[in-house]
Amino acid sequence: MSAWVKQDSKQVKKRGKNKASWYCEWNEPDGTRRNKSCGPGREGKRIANQLKEKISAQLSLGTYVSDKQKSTTWDDFVAEYLRHISNRAANTVVESRASLNHFGRVLNLNGKPVGSLATKHVDTFKDERRQERGKKPGSKLSPATLNKDLRNVKAALNVAAEWGYLESVPKFKTEREPKHLPRYVTPEHFTDIYKACEVATFPTELPCSPSDWWRALLVTLQMTGWRIGEVLALEWDDVNLDTGMAITRASDNKGKRDEIVRLHQTVIDHIEPLRTFHPNVFPWEHN
């Protein structure tokens, strides 16, 4: 695909070659014929040739953005973007939808083109959003929640730029978050939870008691630092009790990569009684 320069024959006949306007003309990727008048004379021809080279390069490289793309509304883009990320973790999709809805609501973007967004809109969103109600009665929105919104919106607008809906991604400056000391389960509390497993009544139909199952789960979580989804997805094919090694799969962990982890002997001692023909180490049965 390429662009070309021409004069309209009717204008040439009516005004003469020197006064007729020069045009840059091209076909968009969807087949739509477009043209732009660049003025008469040598200057008009020079501008038309420059535009021809620019558009030809964009069409060749696949970076051409049509007026239709530039006019795509915020609501249409959000719907398309959420379909695009629908295969990601459910929490990611839910949080992205919420952040994008807040962004559109605060800036009243209903029916407005996504291509019109600029850094000033991001700053306005920050100013307005930080004044909204927080989770606690009488509190304002926390910097952490605002930063989460900003991260989700920035990720979406990066895609908007890749799709040609936005010429450039606005600048995002996150809020400074107060640093808190990490909170851990104290040894005393963990011991209480461990003892409370004695009254567990499910899962059932396993080669061990419900209390053994829960204790194995708690110890594995505590000693590996894995998320609950990673532990519940663990399969026996990925566990070697003899070597004390286990594999957490990319499809189950946040890092999206397979990782080999050495299990503490305490974990091995707790999960060994769970061995069964079931493919999962921690089959979750609701009976």
Side-chain angles (χ1 to χ4, degrees), residues 76-216:
D76 288 342
F77 165 69
V78 169
E80 186 177 5
Y81 175 73
L82 291 176
R83 288 194 297 271
H84 174 66
I85 65 171
S86 61
N87 62 336
R88 299 182 185 177
N91 286 345
T92 299
V93 178
V94 170
E95 291 182 356
S96 294
R97 179 185 290 108
S99 296
L100 294 172
N101 286 342
H102 286 310
F103 193 73
R105 171 182 57 80
V106 171
L107 296 177
N108 191 24
L109 295 178
N110 184 29
K112 296 180 181 179
V114 65
S116 64
L117 293 174
T119 301
K120 66 177 181 180
H121 295 103
V122 176
D123 292 340
T124 299
F125 171 73
K126 288 169 57 179
D127 293 340
E128 296 291 333
R129 182 80 169 114
R130 68 163 63 97
Q131 298 303 319
E132 295 188 337
R133 185 179 62 185
K135 291 182 179 180
K136 296 181 181 179
S139 67
K140 298 295 184 181
L141 195 77
S142 69
T145 300
L146 178 54
N147 284 340
K148 179 179 66 176
D149 286 343
L150 293 173
R151 288 193 298 270
N152 289 331
V153 173
K154 184 178 181 180
L157 294 188
N158 281 333
V159 173
E162 292 174 3
W163 289 350
Y165 298 159
L166 195 64
E167 288 191 8
S168 61
V169 179
K171 294 182 179 179
F172 285 75
K173 294 181 179 180
T174 56
E175 299 283 279
R176 177 175 295 179
E177 298 181 29
K179 294 184 178 180
H180 300 289
L181 292 174
R183 298 178 63 183
Y184 301 99
V185 176
T186 65
E188 294 77 15
H189 287 170
F190 185 83
T191 299
D192 290 340
I193 297 172
Y194 188 88
K195 289 181 178 179
C197 292
E198 295 176 0
V199 299
T201 58
F202 66 93
T204 58
E205 298 184 3
L206 295 177
C208 63
S209 66
S211 60
D212 286 342
W213 188 93
W214 277 105
R215 285 168 177 162

Side-chain angles (χ1 to χ4, degrees), residues 63-82:
T63 59
Y64 177 83
V65 180
S66 67
D67 288 342
K68 181 179 179 181
Q69 288 176 303
K70 293 177 181 178
S71 63
T72 297
T73 65
W74 171 254
D75 292 337
D76 288 342
F77 165 69
V78 169
E80 186 177 5
Y81 175 73
L82 291 176

